[in-house]
Amino acid sequence: MSDRDVDQLLADLRGRLEAGVATRRPRHRRGTRRVTALVAVVMLAAGSTAVATRSVWAPSPPGDHGEGGPVVRLLAGGPASAPWSLAAQRCADGSVATFLRVGEGGAGRGCDGRPSAVGSYYDPAGQKTYIFAVVPAAARTAQLGLRGTPARSATPGVVALDVAARPADPLALERGGLAPSAVLIAGHSGAWTPATVAVVDAHGQMLLRCQEARCTDG
């Protein structure tokens, strides 16, 4: 449930309760107090739901129509000043939706039919770009080619990063109905776009290759 859904629920409930009170005019004052109390209780409950939603922080992916699996958190980390969490959801079309939360911001990729894709998010507070993806469980390292601008600089450039893949939470994978997977998370100071991505296993075998926004397995 999103914060918008909670707000709509509260608005609908308030309207229904007030309409019910209006039909009982002799008990208007008492009914008004009852409405206020009920709305307050519901708002407290909805507030708890909103907090829980923000801790999960992953909306239903666009295009899934609610037919996929539950949203699960695969991995979390980062410093206290900029904690991050990566969530995923199995889509009805066979793809996997992902959402990265960094502090109070984040970005995600919805259900688009592609089994593999790499996302990126620029955190303006930390002036840092995060590259994220759910990759095959056999993945060990990823070679990233980033194109962009370093922090506190106006000169564009290109950088190469080697990033170790991390195991995803196995219980979360099972609960979400997701295949065994690893997680790719990389942060680099400045504003960057992933131009190339090459994910390999322990033997150097190519598992995932991306050129700009197009990714292919193997």
Side-chain angles (χ1 to χ4, degrees), residues 4 13 19-20 22 57 59 64 74 82 88 93 97 110 124 126 139 147 150 157 160 174 177 184 186 191 202:
R4 184 176 182 180
L13 181 57
W57 35 252
D64 189 59
L74 300 183
D93 60 17
R147 182 176 58 246
E174 180 180 0
L184 175 64

Side-chain angles (χ1 to χ4, degrees), residues 62-168:
D64 189 59
H65 307 298
E67 299 173 359
V71 175
V72 293
R73 185 173 68 176
L74 300 183
L75 195 65
S81 58
W84 56 258
S85 297
L86 181 67
Q89 181 178 28
R90 175 182 53 80
C91 303
D93 60 17
S95 60
V96 176
T98 55
F99 192 88
L100 179 73
R101 168 70 75 184
V102 180
E104 295 300 319
R109 167 207 168 215
C111 299
D112 55 14
R114 295 180 296 168
S116 301
V118 176
S120 64
Y121 169 66
Y122 175 70
D123 175 26
Q127 295 187 342
K128 189 174 185 178
T129 297
Y130 292 82
I131 311 300
F132 60 96
V134 176
V135 296
R140 290 297 177 269
T141 59
Q143 300 167 346
L144 307 180
L146 306 181
R147 182 176 58 246
T149 307
R152 294 177 293 278
S153 172
T155 304
V158 176
V159 297
L161 298 178
D162 288 336
V163 181
R166 311 184 193 188

Side-chain angles (χ1 to χ4, degrees), residues 15-28:
R16 292 175 186 175
L17 291 174
E18 291 178 347
V21 170
T23 61
R24 297 191 297 271
R25 293 184 180 275
R27 302 172 64 184
H28 178 74

Side-chain angles (χ1 to χ4, degrees), residues 135-213:
V135 296
R140 290 297 177 269
T141 59
Q143 300 167 346
L144 307 180
L146 306 181
R147 182 176 58 246
T149 307
R152 294 177 293 278
S153 172
T155 304
V158 176
V159 297
L161 298 178
D162 288 336
V163 181
R166 311 184 193 188
D169 183 344
L171 293 179
L173 291 172
E174 180 180 0
R175 184 159 51 89
L178 298 166
S181 305
V183 171
L184 175 64
I185 295 284
H188 196 65
S189 180
W192 304 92
T193 299
T196 61
V197 179
V199 180
V200 299
D201 63 14
H203 305 288
Q205 181 70 33
M206 187 71 64
L207 300 176
L208 178 67
R209 186 192 304 271
C210 300
Q211 185 74 33
E212 302 299 337

